[in-house]
Amino acid sequence: MHVCILGAGIVGLAAAYELQQAGHEVTVIDKAPHAGMGTSMGNGAQLSYSYVQPLADPSIWKQLPKLLFNEDSPLKFRLQADPHQWKWGLQFLAACNAERSAISTRELLQLAATSRQHFEAMQQRVQGDWDYSTTGKLVLYPTHAAVESARRQLDVQSTLGSAPQLIVSPDEAVALEPALAAYQPQFAGAVHTPSECAADCYQVAQQLQAWLQRNGVKFVMNTAVQNLRREGGKIVAVRTSQGDITADHYMVALAFDSVALCKPLGIDLPVYPLKGYSLTLNVAAASDKAPRVSITDSARKVVFARLGDRLRVAGMVELVGNDLRIPQDKIQSLCDSTQAVFPGCSDFAAVAPWAGLRPATPTAVPIAKQAGASNLWLNTGHGALGFTLAFGTAAQLAQQMGKVA
């Protein structure tokens, strides 16, 4: 069958790969000139297959005043006259309970395990060069109470088949990652996951697009998707800036733009953009002062991932609507965090700033299903785990679509 995928980010590309491997004809449409230029471009670079705690957590309730009113909070709500934001926010708060968090954790771990298997199979086949590393991850916690909360999360995950993880002391964390030595007094403990990985998602997207093109996948770039034309319970065409394109099946993988595209079809997607920022630093001149192990500082809501001679620094979660502006103070905040955690790792002479809108569901579990028409498939809502989960939802959908082919 012929499948038309709308969106050439890592989520759409992963689906294109899985469907191509299953023997289907695939066309990918995107408004950008080449793949991976949207939310996939400057993400945190971590592949967090084993530590997937949902943002919707019971602890959010205690943080609400800070989230709503503190301008310096790394996790911020900016209330707007937007019914979609309010509806999503209420669904998010409803998910902030122990039972729902445990269910989401189980679903995310299962999906992440599938995603890892399929990403690694793709990597072996494509043989790309995208600064892939398997140096593990440390999640730092500022207080003993936070460490104990993390311990409880690990207990939950251990019953669900998560990869081995353990709580380590600050001394043990520094032994694992010596570049943390100067920051040691600032954290009370950490979760160490030896099996976690990192890679440059944008490089994956670029090289995977090239490989897919060589292997028969058609890319229609510089082409905006305008709407989907439905007749008699089926999608008969996707209307684009270059005219109508037809296929047997259609997949929507347009991140937050999926919401507006699906609304005329009566599909109310519970997806809202979580704005985040990143910068990429050259650390070649001070390699020993930059981490090799991926680091997540839970207090600062900042992640650090080593990509060869570069360090990707990403952080903050803002619910501020469809806004891609990059205020200087946000980038300065990431620079300050980097200098605090890894002093002297870079001269900050060349900072590559970026902002992205991560499409999230209230529970953090992505939407990967048929909806709205017999031949329409949704693939969105991956939130901050898009890179981690992309090949998992791709494999799920390829299997589902294979049953109706």
Side-chain angles (χ1 to χ4, degrees), residues 26-70:
V26 180
T27 298
V28 180
I29 307 172
D30 199 283
K31 63 184 178 183
H34 48 80
M37 294 189 70
T39 306
S40 302
M41 189 171 190
N43 65 17
Q46 293 184 359
L47 289 160
S48 298
Y49 295 119
S50 300
Y51 198 76
V52 294
Q53 185 172 11
L55 183 62
D57 180 85
S59 65
I60 288 291
W61 289 102
K62 293 181 180 180
Q63 302 176 48
L64 267 183
K66 180 179 180 180
L67 303 183
L68 290 171
F69 304 115
N70 190 338

Side-chain angles (χ1 to χ4, degrees), residues 130 138 240 254 257 327 344 388 394:
W130 36 67
L138 285 163
T240 77
L254 287 170
D257 288 343
T388 297

Side-chain angles (χ1 to χ4, degrees), residues 32-367:
H34 48 80
M37 294 189 70
T39 306
S40 302
M41 189 171 190
N43 65 17
Q46 293 184 359
L47 289 160
S48 298
Y49 295 119
S50 300
Y51 198 76
V52 294
Q53 185 172 11
L55 183 62
D57 180 85
S59 65
I60 288 291
W61 289 102
K62 293 181 180 180
Q63 302 176 48
L64 267 183
K66 180 179 180 180
L67 303 183
L68 290 171
F69 304 115
N70 190 338
E71 281 297 315
D72 296 327
S73 172
L75 176 57
K76 184 174 71 176
F77 288 84
R78 185 189 300 156
L79 297 178
Q80 299 176 327
D82 177 3
H84 186 71
Q85 184 200 48
W86 283 77
K87 183 177 181 180
W88 189 96
L90 290 172
Q91 292 172 328
F92 173 80
L93 291 175
C96 291
N97 62 79
E99 181 181 5
R100 180 63 249 187
S101 182
I103 293 171
S104 297
T105 297
R106 180 176 64 250
E107 293 176 352
L108 289 170
L109 281 172
Q110 292 171 346
L111 184 58
T114 300
S115 195
R116 180 173 200 150
Q117 178 185 354
H118 285 261
F119 177 85
E120 291 178 351
M122 179 279 296
Q123 186 167 237
Q124 186 174 8
R125 182 176 294 273
V126 175
Q127 292 291 304
D129 179 13
W130 36 67
D131 287 322
Y132 180 74
S133 63
T134 57
T135 51
K137 181 168 75 170
L138 285 163
V139 181
L140 312 181
Y141 291 93
T143 65
H144 292 292
V147 172
E148 288 309 306
S149 178
R151 191 187 304 276
R152 291 192 291 272
Q153 178 69 13
L154 292 194
D155 290 342
V156 171
Q157 293 190 179
S158 67
T159 66
L160 302 175
S162 175
Q165 301 171 287
L166 66 157
I167 301 289
V168 298
S169 69
D171 285 344
E172 291 169 325
V174 172
L176 290 163
E177 179 45 76
L180 282 169
Y183 196 59
Q184 182 175 344
Q186 304 302 314
F187 63 96
V191 170
H192 181 221
T193 311
S195 61
E196 299 290 57
C197 314
D200 189 324
C201 184
Y202 182 56
Q203 291 181 358
V204 173
Q206 293 283 284
Q207 295 175 45
L208 184 53
Q209 178 188 6
W211 187 91
L212 288 168
Q213 285 178 311
R214 291 195 300 271
N215 286 273
V217 174
K218 181 181 179 182
F219 282 80
V220 183
M221 307 302 289
N222 291 302
T223 302
V225 173
Q226 297 172 341
N227 57 60
L228 291 162
R229 188 150 56 87
R230 182 173 59 188
E231 293 179 5
K234 291 186 66 175
I235 303 299
V236 296
V238 53
R239 183 161 295 159
T240 77
S241 56
Q242 303 296 325
D244 286 1
I245 295 175
T246 61
D248 300 315
H249 290 262
Y250 301 82
M251 182 183 295
V252 179
L254 287 170
F256 179 58
D257 288 343
S258 302
V259 174
L261 183 69
C262 291
K263 190 173 182 179
L265 300 176
I267 304 170
D268 185 13
L269 281 176
V271 172
Y272 195 79
L274 305 182
K275 186 179 183 180
Y277 303 88
S278 79
L279 53 87
T280 306
L281 302 168
N282 189 313
V283 294
S287 184
D288 60 323
K289 296 181 179 180
R292 293 286 179 182
V293 175
S294 291
I295 304 294
T296 296
D297 188 329
S298 66
R300 296 175 180 271
K301 296 288 190 295
V302 176
V303 303
F304 304 87
R306 187 67 175 266
L307 300 171
D309 287 334
R310 298 169 298 146
L311 182 66
R312 175 67 50 76
V313 185
M316 302 176 220
V317 177
E318 297 182 348
L319 283 86
V320 295
N322 194 3
D323 177 5
L324 280 171
R325 291 174 297 175
I326 306 178
Q328 179 56 37
D329 66 307
K330 303 300 182 184
I331 299 306
Q332 187 60 51
S333 176
L334 290 178
C335 289
D336 292 345
S337 290
T338 306
Q339 186 62 21
V341 182
F342 302 108
C345 72
S346 174
D347 60 9
F348 297 90
V351 175
W354 175 88
L357 301 175
R358 300 161 294 194
T361 65
T363 63
V365 179
I367 299 166

